[in-house]
Every structure is written in C-alpha cells, then in structure tokens.
Amino acid sequence: MAENKPKKEAVPRAKMPEQDPDVRRRNFIEVPLGLTPEMAMAEAQRCLQCKKPACVDGCPVSVDIPEFIKLIAENNFTGAANKLWERNALPAVCGRVCPQEEQCEGRCIVGKKGQPVAIGYLERFAADYERKNGVGGVPAVEAKTGKKVAVIGSGPSGLTVAGDLLLKGHEVTIFEAFHKPGGVLVYGIPEFRLPKEIVASEVATLEKMGAKIECNTVVGASVTIDELFEEGYDAAYIGVGAGLPRFMNLPGENLIGIYSANEYLTRTNLMKGYLFPQYDTPIARGKNVVVLGAGNVAMDSARTAMRLGAESVKVVYRRSRDEMPAREEELHHAEEEKIEFVLLTNPTQFFGDENGRLTGMECLKMELGEPDSSGRRRPVPLEGSEYRIDCDMVVVSVGSNANPLLTNSTQNLNLNRWGNIIADPATGKTSKRGVWAGGDIVTGAATVILAMGAGRAAANSMHDYLTLGW
Amino acid sequence: MATIVYREEMAQGTIILNEIEAPRISRKAKPGQFVILQADETGERIPLTMADTNPEKGTITIIYMVVGKSTARFKELQVGDTYYALIGPLGAPTHVEKVGKVVCVGGGTGIAVLHPITRALKEAGNEVTTILGSRSYDLLIMEEKMRAASDHFHICTDDGSKGHHGFVTDVLKQVLAQDDIALVVAIGPIPMMKFCSLITKDKGVKTLVSLNPIMVDGTGMCGCCRVTVGGETKFACVDGPEFDAHKVDFDELAKRLASYLEDEKKSMDAHKNCKVQ
C-alpha cells in the first residue's frame, strides 16, 4: 500500500456553494448549488489515483471512482458521466443523497491526513453536467435475451435492478403504485434536497434503454406476482420499500395536525402541496411545528415545515445530539435553517381543542443510562419532569414497518417476524422461485444507496438465473 | 385504460355516475373495495368505493357527489375522456356469507357503495331487507337496482316526498322489532351510520359500516385515513374500509373529515374564478 500514502495536501477540498440559510429556509429550491467546471477539475486533481482504491470498496455499487475522477480532471465530463453509468443508474441522485462520509469518502486516503476528496460533489457534477449539456447519450445495451423481468417498485433499488438488467439485454417492466415513478426519491425526499426533475431525467434514461413503466399498479392488489408469471414474466424483483408508518400510540395521536412523516412528505413532494392551490392537494401550514424523531426523514420533515412558513420548528428526540441518526450534513443544514433540537425529551400525550385540532403536547425529560441492545445509551425518563410544548402540528418520524399489502398476497414468500421479506444478503434470493427482493422491505428503513447495493446484488443473481437457471 | 364509456347525472346533477374502462380492476374487484382516481396531474387522489363492476365488458362503475374542487373537476369529464390515474382495487373486500336475515341501510352516495354488497349478500342466500333514505325523493339514487337486489324494500325521505316520511332509523327500528336480524350493513353519511349503529348496538345486532376518511395513497403508506376502532388506530385503506360499527369512533372520524375545510373552500373558489374568467 506504499503507493497509497498521501503526498500532498496543497489544494484544499472544494467547498460546495450553497443558498444562504436565511433565504433557503423559505424556498424549495435546492440548497447546494453544485460545483463549477473549474472547481470540479481542481477538486478532481486532489485524487491520488490509488492503484488499490479504498473508496471503491466503500461504495455499495462499486463505482470506478478514480477513473471517473480522472476523466473530470481531464475536462472530459461526458466520459466521466458514462463511467458512472457503467456501475450506477442514478449518479445524480447518489451524488446528492449518499452518506459519502461513511462510504467512499470515509475510506479516501487523502482524508487520512486532511479532508477527503469530495467524491459525492464530483459525482453530482458529472451527472448534472451531462444532463444539462450532454449529447443525451444512452448506455449501450447488450443483445436481447428474450427474458422478461418484472420490477415491483420504482424506488432506488428497483431502478438499479432495472438499469442493470436492461444493460444485460433483458426486457424490464417496472410496476409503480403511485402515478409517478421514483418511489421515495419522488414522494419522500424533498425538492430542496433532490429536485424531481433529476429523478424524472434518470428514469427517462432507463426508458430510453427500453424499460417499460406501468404506474398506478399496486402489485398485490391490481395484479399478483403469480399472475405476472402467468403473463409471461421469467423473474420478479420486489423493491417496494417499508411503507407502513409507525406511530407512537400515545393519547391524542389522531388529532388533526398530527401527520406521519410519510403523509406529510407525500402531500408536499409527490402531490406538490407546497404549490397549493395550483395543485389541489392541501398541506397544513403549521405555525409551531414539532417533529418527533431524528433521522434523515425527520430532518426532511422539519426543513419542509420551515419552508412552508412555520414560525418555529422543533425536533424532539429522546436521546442526545450524538445519537441522532441523521447524516451530519442534514443536521448541520437543519441547524443553519434555525430548526431547534429539543434533546433528551420524549412525548407522552397530545392535547386538542373541541374541534379535534392539536394545540400542544406533553413531554418528559430524559437522561442517558446504560447502553441498550443498539449500543447507544438508553434514555431513562426523569420522574416528574413533565412539561408542555404548544404546537399546532406534529410530524411523527419514528420509522416504518413492513407494508403487508404485497407480501400477504404472495404465496411461498417467507417473512421474518416483523413482516420483512427474508432474502439472501448476498444475492437477494427469496424463498419463492424466480423472486428476488431488496431495499427497505428486506432490511427495514435504511438508505437509498444500501437499497441500490441490494439491487445490484440481486440483478447479478437474476442475470445468472435468467441465463443459467435457479 | 381509465376512459369513461358511460356517464349519467343523477339527483338533479349533484351526483354523477361514471362507467370506466378498467379491465384489470374489473376482474379483480370484490364488493366493498375501492379505487383511487385523479382527474389530472395537478389533481387530488380521491378514493371512491366501486358501485358496480362488469368483468365481461372490462368496466367499473363509480358514483360520486359533487362536493368540492376535485369532484367538480371530475364532473367536467365526459364520455371518451380519461382519468389521469385510476388505481385499484384497494381495501379489504366485504366478508360475505349466509347468515340469515340481513338489513342493508343506505343514504346519499353510500347507496352506491351498498349496492354490490347487497347484491352479494342476496346471492349468498340471505334474505335482504333494504332501507334507503334521502332528503327528498328526487335526490334518491339507484332505486331500481337496489330493489332488484332486495327481498324487502323501503324508501324514507326527510320531506315525505316518497315512502316513509322520516329517517331510515325509524324503519330500521321497526324491522329489528319484527324480525330476527343477523346482520345490518349501514353505509351513508356519518350521522346516519352513527345512529343506525346506536340502535343495533342496543339490540346486539352485528353491524358493518364502510368509512370514508381522507386518504392519500390508499395502500397503507401514509396513515392519513386512520380511524379509531375499539380503542385502536386502524388504517381504513388497508384494515377497512369496513369495520364493526359498534367499535367505531364516529365523532373522531367526523372531525378528521373537516381537517381541510378552509383549504377546500379556497380551492373551490379558485376553481370557480378560473371558470368565470
């Protein structure tokens, strides 16, 4: 590994230009503005071009990182985008939402002594550049195999499976329950973090490669997996997400003004409630908003509430700042936007008026005790510490369970005791012949890139099946 | 797909029937299930329980009351027009079995929801008494189809323009007093379902209602449609829409249905202004 030793830290890591926090907290325009070509080329030159690149090992879909960065450094942005596409169907998405600090950048040798190469910024740059200025080239597809694959769910894992299998010459139809493809990328992640135009463009690339997309189709209700096989499909991939919001089962939880994060974000993002009344779906504009939970979805909800005009937004979390599961970048963006973190605090009940509308909530203060099974210190309530927070909106963002709609209608599909599909971690194979699964319906709520990694593994296994047999 | 092949205005144009091309849904749908419709890309997702299906023809029938912007927009769609989105069949089907004598009580567009359930109950060998109610006889829908699906048939009008002058609950009480009823299915406005439920609860007669809370996705994903049943939170879209009436918190449901009243008015006003211009 001698050649991997850092030699220089002459050029500092590129700083992503961002909208000013005081401006952006009231609009839905994307927060980071993207690197300029000059900034990207300078950043690309910071890469050591390691012969044994640790960054690639850190990438769930094994993007050839040194090679695409080299192409950026050489001012060949289209070449860089094509290099990304070889391993990643959604580079503009991943450049934005991957937790690079835990993956590629977390392994970067340059980062051992200084700041790692901004791989995420560069990925985003190349994909954006190609989308805006490129020739609209489409990755080359291999000769048709004559095999038909059903991909159920058009979120990140389903799109990855579709992209990989299209490249290998299989016929792919993607089934989506909603009226627009993209899954969580469209209904969940807000416009200011992932513009929907980008998702549409990545999906359009798959369509140009030959993917068929059937929206408004709830597999399990509109059609079952066995019926898809009868219709002539040779294999199926289930990537339907977690999809059943968890509530806290506290008194008053059905008061008007209490949303699941799924509902709050779906109304805002997919249904474009923030553009009401140009769009017909309303979304309540809370004045004093409380978000329960501290993951990325909670940060998305809190920052959305701020943009919808809230006077105050509080994130109420029962543990401390160190245990908040959201990415540091998301926490930082939220704090910059004047979102308040109310830590070591747990709700106990909600209060409403005579019309059933939320007026406030009762909380208990907590302290950290001994570590629990997750290794994090367990929050313990402080006796008699009850106090009231006035609020007219609460967004419950404490995770999701497995939605049983598809799994209940599918025979011979083994589930674990939480209702998640049991799939081989290495291949995504389920107990049902010809059926693979990946993403949140297997793992429980996780990240976009992990779902994509599962999609990649499943696509390889599905290709083997389609060409060699089960 | 989702093209309107037949359209009818009922109840003086306040209620609209659409027969829609939907081969896959028509083959799958069972009584009690619903679909979600969206008129255009900017529209709301509106859940409507199917009033009928025709698998041979590959169509489904929905019947809706024009109450706000979204249904006003639906009303503009004519034969040959296509809904932007049509999703289904969703929700749990009605559990239909032979139990003996059953009473089906319907009001407003709830009658449309009741229709396939009534027919299925009769086909299963039950003796069906149907009680339909409306403010006035000219607002009553589906009289002939419901009569055909019933062994005994009653109409109630608030203004006495036809049948019993009064509420469906009056006739329900009489029927329950005269006969040994095994099951009541009541579908209509919330007050109607609530008061039917109070009567049958006294008598200990099992009663089903079909609930119509606000929904977004209709597949269990958002939790907007949560209702309290027997002290527990249920999602009407996947756990329902039918529930044991005696356990439903109707008051909470009524309040939650009013969540967006101001926004609905704003949306309707904007729609009207747009039409005037």
Side-chain angles (χ1 to χ4, degrees), chain A residues 316-319 340-348 362-368 378-389:
Chain A
V316 170
Y317 181 51
R318 65 200 177 111
R319 301 179 197 251
E340 190 187 337
F341 294 164
V342 181
L343 303 169
L344 292 166
T345 301
N346 209 26
T348 48
E362 185 190 72
C363 292
L364 263 181
K365 301 230 192 226
M366 315 290 277
E367 61 184 355
L368 290 180
R378 184 196 303 273
V380 185
L382 278 171
E383 289 296 326
S385 65
E386 290 90 348
Y387 74 108
R388 184 184 161 115
I389 297 177

Side-chain angles (χ1 to χ4, degrees), chain A residues 175 177-180 187 214 216-218 220-224 227-228 231 243-245 247 249 253-264 266-267 270-272 276-284 353-357 403 405, chain B residues 1 24-25 27-28 38 40-45 69-70 73 84-90 214-228 232-235 238 252 255-264 266-267 270:
Chain A
F175 296 92
F178 273 128
H179 49 282
K180 282 184 184 163
Y187 75 73
E214 284 198 31
N216 304 314
T217 307
V218 185
S222 316
V223 63
T224 64
E227 286 165 342
L228 290 176
E231 288 178 20
L244 196 72
F247 285 91
N249 294 319
E253 205 161 19
N254 292 345
L255 289 163
I256 299 165
I258 304 183
Y259 289 92
S260 74
N262 270 2
E263 182 189 354
Y264 188 63
T266 300
R267 281 181 178 272
L270 174 74
M271 305 311 295
K272 303 226 180 289
F276 179 88
Q278 289 95 311
Y279 279 72
D280 295 343
T281 304
I283 179 69
D353 64 15
E354 66 282 6
N355 297 318
R357 290 183 185 264
N403 189 321
L405 200 152
Chain B
M1 255 292 273
R24 227 173 202 172
I25 299 174
R27 285 197 302 270
K28 285 251 151 186
Q38 205 178 335
D40 45 39
E41 200 255 334
T42 59
E44 269 183 294
R45 293 166 66 91
K69 156 88 189 273
S70 293
R73 178 75 190 90
Y84 169 76
L86 169 61
I87 303 107
L90 300 170
I214 302 172
M215 290 185 186
V216 183
D217 66 292
T219 63
M221 193 276 262
C222 85
C224 175
C225 65
R226 56 199 197 275
V227 288
T228 301
E232 278 180 50
T233 294
K234 299 280 180 189
F235 290 1
V238 286
E252 180 188 271
K255 284 175 184 167
R256 285 185 64 81
L257 276 169
S259 297
Y260 295 100
L261 276 187
E262 279 176 33
D263 285 327
E264 282 163 17
K266 203 189 285 177
S267 190

